[in-house]
Amino acid sequence: DDSRVGRYMHGIPVVHPKDLPGMAFDEIIIASEFYEEICEQLLELYVPAKKFSVPSFIARESDIDFKFLESPIYFQPFVFSNLDILGTNIRFATSEKDRVLGAMLREDRTLCSRYLAELAWLRDQILPDTIFLDVGGNLGSVSIYLSKQQPSAQILAFEPDPLNFSLFQLNLHANHCNNITVFNTALGSGEGHAELHQSIENYGDHRTTKPQGNESERFKKSRHLVSMTRASKLLFDLYPNISPNII
């Protein structure tokens, strides 16, 4: 209700959601039975918090099945876990709705052997002071692992999905990675915007190409277009005096 913006309710100032990005919150309390929709909207506005909670009176009076309610006080839509990846301990925040890569990172599923083999190969390729591009950064599992193996490397990650991008930021904070820059954009053949097709169960399978045939049943189209840029343009803007030697 925009008419309430700038006023006070019970001594608390009312602000517009568009004024929230950039603020840091230890906890956001959502006093509404529509907690899931509100939580998703906040994440789309890039307003991450260490914890999202719902008051106990909402939990008691709501008819919704609070299957993720871990105590009478707090509701946490995200799961934090510690995972050993090739001998390196990494802390991850994932969404329980992500039933593939997210499930692997919280050990609900076994880590894919191909994923581990790719990580091992990348670990051997990245050298000190390397500029590494992680295209489709997802939750940051590849970037964070490589950051810990080669702290002097510069890692540029690209993740267009708002939820994945927000979780990536949380995971950077949780793992104290200072050599990763994550961009909320897709890489493509041109500049502008693109439709994002989001996998319903595998948050590591979002794509800007339209799914074909029966495959389309596993995807939904994002409500908003995502930004897109060319890798060559971005690298030139960031490093105008360097001629990239791409592996």
Side-chain angles (χ1 to χ4, degrees):
D1 184 354
D2 290 348
S3 67
R4 295 178 181 270
V5 174
R7 300 182 182 180
Y8 285 80
M9 293 179 64
H10 307 291
I12 301 173
V14 177
V15 299
H16 196 282
K18 65 180 177 61
D19 297 324
L20 295 176
M23 297 183 181
F25 298 93
D26 289 327
E27 179 177 358
I28 293 178
I29 300 174
I30 303 174
S32 169
E33 63 185 85
F34 303 107
Y35 62 91
E36 286 190 336
E37 291 87 346
I38 294 173
C39 181
E40 288 182 359
Q41 290 172 17
L42 289 173
L43 287 170
E44 287 189 356
L45 287 166
Y46 320 122
V47 187
K50 296 178 182 177
K51 183 195 302 182
F52 288 80
S53 308
V54 66
S56 57
F57 70 87
I58 294 289
R60 286 196 300 268
E61 296 178 2
S62 174
D63 293 330
I64 297 174
D65 177 17
F66 280 71
K67 64 179 180 178
F68 303 130
L69 192 64
E70 297 182 350
S71 75
I73 300 177
Y74 296 121
F75 162 76
Q76 294 182 300
F78 305 135
V79 178
F80 285 88
S81 58
N82 288 288
L83 180 64
D84 184 279
I85 299 181
L86 299 178
T88 300
N89 185 266
I90 303 177
R91 183 166 170 78
F92 289 110
T94 64
S95 168
E96 281 216 9
K97 293 183 179 180
D98 183 357
R99 298 183 178 91
V100 182
L101 179 58
M104 293 180 190
L105 298 180
R106 57 179 177 270
E107 296 187 284
D108 289 345
R109 296 179 61 163
T110 303
L111 275 172
C112 175
S113 58
R114 187 177 68 178
Y115 169 79
L116 293 174
E118 290 173 350
L119 272 185
W121 184 84
L122 289 169
R123 176 193 60 201
D124 296 337
Q125 305 306 311
I126 192 167
L127 301 173
D129 302 316
T130 297
I131 300 173
F132 178 86
L133 273 63
D134 183 2
V135 182
N138 195 252
L139 310 181
S141 59
V142 172
S143 289
I144 292 170
Y145 173 76
L146 294 178
S147 169
K148 290 179 176 290
Q149 308 310 307
Q150 198 57 261
S152 67
Q154 298 179 57
I155 299 175
L156 309 178
F158 303 87
E159 177 49 58
D161 180 72
L163 177 57
N164 282 347
F165 175 77
S166 296
L167 289 171
F168 197 141
Q169 297 278 42
L170 285 175
N171 292 331
L172 287 185
H173 175 78
N175 291 282
H176 309 290
C177 296
N178 299 316
N179 62 331
I180 300 174
T181 303
V182 56
F183 299 86
N184 187 211
T185 187
L187 291 187
S189 58
E191 300 289 318
H193 295 83
E195 290 184 341
L196 182 67
H197 301 273
Q198 299 166 311
S199 172
I200 296 172
E201 292 190 338
N202 183 4
Y203 289 16
D205 196 26
H206 299 339
R207 55 187 72 174
T208 54
T209 55
K210 186 176 181 179
Q212 301 296 318
N214 294 335
E215 190 179 46
S216 61
E217 298 176 359
R218 299 187 291 106
F219 290 83
K220 64 178 182 178
K221 189 164 67 173
S222 174
R223 288 179 290 177
H224 308 288
L225 296 176
V226 297
S227 66
M228 176 178 286
T229 189
R230 290 180 293 115
S232 56
K233 179 182 185 302
L234 185 136
L235 287 172
F236 181 80
D237 290 343
L238 292 175
Y239 309 102
N241 299 318
I242 296 178
S243 178
N245 178 18
I246 300 175
I247 299 175

